[in-house]
Amino acid sequence: MNTAMLFGLCASMLIGLGLYGLLTHPHPLRKILALNVIGSGIFLLFGAVALRGAAAGMNADPVPQALLITGIVVAFSASALAVALLLRLFEVTGDVSLANDDPATHKDTSKDRPHD
Amino acid sequence: MTPSLALNLALALLLLGMAGWAVLVRSTQAAVIGFMVYGLLLTLAWARLDGLDVALTEAAIGGGLTGFLLLGAAVRLRSVEHRAMLQAPGLATRILAALAAGSITLLLAFAVLTLPSPAPSLAPAVAENIAMTQVGNPITAVLLAFRALDTLLEALVLVLAMIGIWSLADDRVWGGRPGFAIAHDASGILHYAARILVPIGVVIGGYIFWIGADDPGGKFQGATLLAAMWLLLVLAGLRDAPRVSSQTLRLWVVLGPLVFIGVGGLGSWVAGSFLGYPQGYAKLMIVAVELALLPSLTLILGLLIMGAPKREIGR
Amino acid sequence: MTESPASLLLVLAVLLPFTGVIIGLLLGGRHVRTVALTTVALGLAVIIGIVWHALDTSTAMEYVLGGWSPPLGIRLRADGLSVLMLLAVAVVISLVSVYAHADFAPHDSGKETRAPPVFWLMLLAIWGSLNLVFVSGDLFTLYVALELLTFAGVPLVALDGRGETLRAALRYLLFALLGSLLYLLGAVLLYGAYGTLDIQLLAQMVRPEALSWAALALMTVGLLAKTALFPLHIWLPPAHAGAPAAASALLSALVVKGSWFLVLRLWLDVMPNVVTLSAAQLLAALGAVAIIVGNIVALGQVRLKLLIAYSTVAQIGYLFLMFPLVFGLAFAGLDSTQAVAGGMLQTISHALAKAAMFLAAGLIYLTLGHDRISDLRGVAQALPMTVTAFALAGASLIGLPPSGGFLAKWLLLSAALESGQWWWGAVMLLGGLLTSVYVFIIVVRSLAPAEAGWMPKTCVPQYQQMAVLALALSAFLLGLAALSPVDLVQLGRTPLSLLRGTP
């Protein structure tokens, strides 16, 4: 088994693990973390693809590697936005639950604001 | 089994173990610390995959900044952790989730095993055209010449994420400073660390940035290190977080994208194509774009960590 | 590399709005709205230029960035589908900008406040991202476009700042992030298999094999999560209904169309030979459930904005009915153009009508101080133009002639009968019937006279009512497009039946 295949298979399992975490954790922060695990698995898979593409005197295909750098930065921005949103949700409601609120409790309470 | 394969196998198992820990362990803080270790292991994996540029980025952003961000949030949310966990799904959901996750893994494993050989690659095309870009690092050539549009858009992604985070401020403190930091640095250890580390970090960050044209490294990796140094200064109380309404701050934030678009436009004027570089001037223009991006990326990465404005202007 | 100067318009369509974002951010304060409105005017001119060029030359526009041809570089390309979407989005963006002019005015003191700059900057960002989705010819650039669209949408969902909108925004973000990651995963597999991300090149290379199938499945599921097709729709109603009216209009009319358009692109243009009829049937079956469930839940809503949001869930369902029709015809060796045209018309008329409805709901809320459907008395008295607009937009959703919705359903219905799939036609008719019930209820309730001495809570400016009416009229009169002599839909595209050959 070569390096690319080994890390490709490892990446497949990482993506599965992350997906399981995303689907089963009720805590949004754990979901954000799970998304990061999925993301890193996808990046690793792309890295394996890059390694398979070694040619023309290069140890790996530089195009996927460059895209990976973009991908990592985009994933970080997404995590930062999600965390900020989560912390703000906690600040405003004192809770971090994503479950649907009971529609009866929230209706019309805060609706008399001038600029809605 | 060759030593190299044994090493790879050990690394892959460690990665899976650490990821499993980060996903499955009960305590959120323990999970985040596991994730940070996982980030370090990934950096090693990237080195094994011959991706030194990616390894640097992963170490700096994937593991470092993201880990720091998640850890901060885990500490802040400790009080509600127990309550959040009460809504844990039942066994049926877990089984369904495991089935979904398992089938994705199988599908991907199958895909990995059926990828064609010899693998298609753009490496020859890069090798053929890299001379025209005048840079030595093929990844820099891809990021700033062949696929420069992606890099420009990525800078815009960062700007949007920053505005999005700012928009979460309370109406009254819009334009003020993020609430980040002002640590109770009673022992003075952060203060001390900042004094020692920041000058070193700035030099290394600048170096990583500068060699990026020809060797592994570049603006993202350099900017991340510089952003980390900035965060350290703020954490140690040596500098305050900036007011987000500050015009100077905003000028530095938009400088990179603005220069990038400007250089792109110049390309359509002198090189016949948007984001094209006239013959003989490619490296000059690439360096100009990178130089302009460095302060913008440093500031934005730092601001993404600092979060929404919390304190009114003047306080 | 010779680039026709006109093709530079494609670059402008993408980067002009984003340049507006960064200049608006830089100038800040009282200048943000001016920058945004100027950008909208300039951008509209660019789009009109693109449409004019397309009609004039009857060819697809193409621009290779930096002179680096694919597969190494990136190209932008606008065919008939892109041009139609560019135009529809530009119209909605412009009219929403007119409507929002006073709602998001800078503070009198000139000091920057929170909501106005966020709204205007994100409006521009949504526009730039959507234009990029429509013209990008590269799978990875499209991934970045999807993320840009998410990052532009989330602050609008949370703009109001209440806990429930923050929760809706976080849920939306998590769904959208998973969606774009699955999309990226598919793109990675395609690169591994074929060594390119350029969709034109891929279209020539993709083989009907397991790897392509896996990639298409992953990308489609990811995009469906972002489009909110049943059963991945649960994030949508709270996210769209909790935002201020102008923001809801952007989210519901436009943002969900971005990921839908990518599904269309992948299925019709990139991997048509991977698609099987049963996969297309599955997609439409989800759409059919969305139509029935969305409409029935909409009927049970107490608040107008939530009703309109659930109606979006149903209308998204219609957008997926076209797939088995297009492929059914193509597999039979018949011309599928009419079905594609029907799907495009459905998208565009929904964009116009839904924007009109959310904006109308915003005016109704201002006038009454609430948006409870049970008590809409006096609305028609105070806002005759707005109620007319709501009725016209509703007529287009139902599919009454001569609306865009009518022509769309007519085209899809004929395609259903021609390809021997009458059941999709039946779903469409049932959906139309359910829609007509709630549109009727709302219009009738708002026609009821107000109590004596009732005064509107706020007086709504005339131009806002006119912007809403303009949107509704465009949706209502869109059916007249059938009379137009040019066939924009097929511009620069290979007919599907030719591409596949007859089986």
Side-chain angles (χ1 to χ4, degrees), chain B residues 58-307:
Chain B
E58 173 61 41
I61 299 185
L65 279 190
T66 309
F68 183 69
L69 178 82
L70 294 176
L71 192 61
V75 173
R76 289 273 305 277
L77 298 176
R78 201 158 31 185
S79 60
V80 283
E81 183 169 338
H82 181 64
R83 202 160 8 131
M85 289 300 176
L86 286 180
Q87 296 167 329
L91 188 64
T93 316
R94 284 176 183 281
I95 291 174
L96 279 178
L99 281 177
S103 24
I104 289 269
T105 296
L106 285 179
L107 181 75
L108 290 175
F110 171 77
V112 166
L113 295 175
T114 53
L115 282 173
S117 282
S121 171
L122 288 177
V126 173
E128 202 176 303
N129 291 289
I130 192 168
M132 276 198 275
T133 67
Q134 299 174 307
V135 291
N137 182 352
I139 293 185
T140 304
V142 175
L143 283 178
L144 282 141
F146 309 139
R147 299 185 60 103
L149 178 68
D150 282 347
T151 309
L152 169 57
L153 292 169
E154 175 191 11
L156 294 169
V157 165
L158 285 165
V159 172
L160 289 194
M162 184 195 73
I163 300 174
I165 289 176
W166 288 359
S167 81
L168 298 168
D170 198 280
D171 279 328
R172 284 162 302 170
V173 296
W174 175 258
R177 299 173 196 275
F180 183 75
I182 316 299
H184 299 289
D185 188 20
S187 59
I189 196 146
L190 269 176
H191 192 100
Y192 183 71
R195 298 244 153 179
I196 305 261
L197 280 179
V198 169
I200 303 175
V202 168
V203 170
I204 298 178
Y207 176 73
I208 291 179
F209 163 75
W210 188 247
I211 61 165
D214 295 316
D215 292 299
K219 62 205 170 308
F220 284 115
Q221 298 90 337
T224 312
L225 196 56
L226 294 180
M229 293 306 115
W230 185 33
L231 291 170
L232 188 57
L233 280 179
V234 176
L235 271 177
L238 292 169
R239 287 275 184 287
D240 200 356
R243 285 183 298 111
V244 308
S245 58
S246 152
Q247 206 109 43
T248 325
L249 176 77
R250 291 188 182 187
L251 179 64
W252 285 106
V253 160
V254 303
L255 179 74
L258 214 51
V259 168
F260 210 151
I261 294 174
V263 167
L266 189 66
S268 62
W269 186 261
V270 296
S273 180
F274 189 82
L275 286 171
Y277 304 122
Q279 200 134 47
Y281 292 92
K283 184 161 186 180
L284 186 73
M285 288 170 90
I286 287 176
V287 170
V289 169
E290 291 216 288
L291 263 178
L293 277 174
L294 185 70
S296 300
L297 293 175
T298 303
L299 286 173
I300 297 174
L301 289 171
L303 288 163
L304 289 182
I305 295 271
M306 290 185 195

Side-chain angles (χ1 to χ4, degrees), chain C residues 67-91:
Chain C
W68 308 105
S69 324
L72 188 58
I74 297 171
R75 78 175 124 200
L76 304 180
R77 186 170 187 275
D79 62 1
L81 302 187
S82 321
V83 171
L84 283 172
M85 294 304 288
L86 288 172
L87 179 61
V89 169
V91 169

Side-chain angles (χ1 to χ4, degrees), chain C residues 315-333:
Chain C
Q315 293 287 326
I316 287 168
Y318 281 105
L319 303 182
F320 289 92
L321 292 186
M322 70 183 284
F323 288 92
L325 307 181
V326 170
F327 282 97
L329 290 171
F331 283 137

Side-chain angles (χ1 to χ4, degrees), chain C residues 185-200:
Chain C
L185 188 50
V188 166
L189 292 184
L190 287 177
Y191 186 87
Y194 304 108
T196 181
L197 293 162
D198 182 80
I199 57 182
Q200 296 284 114

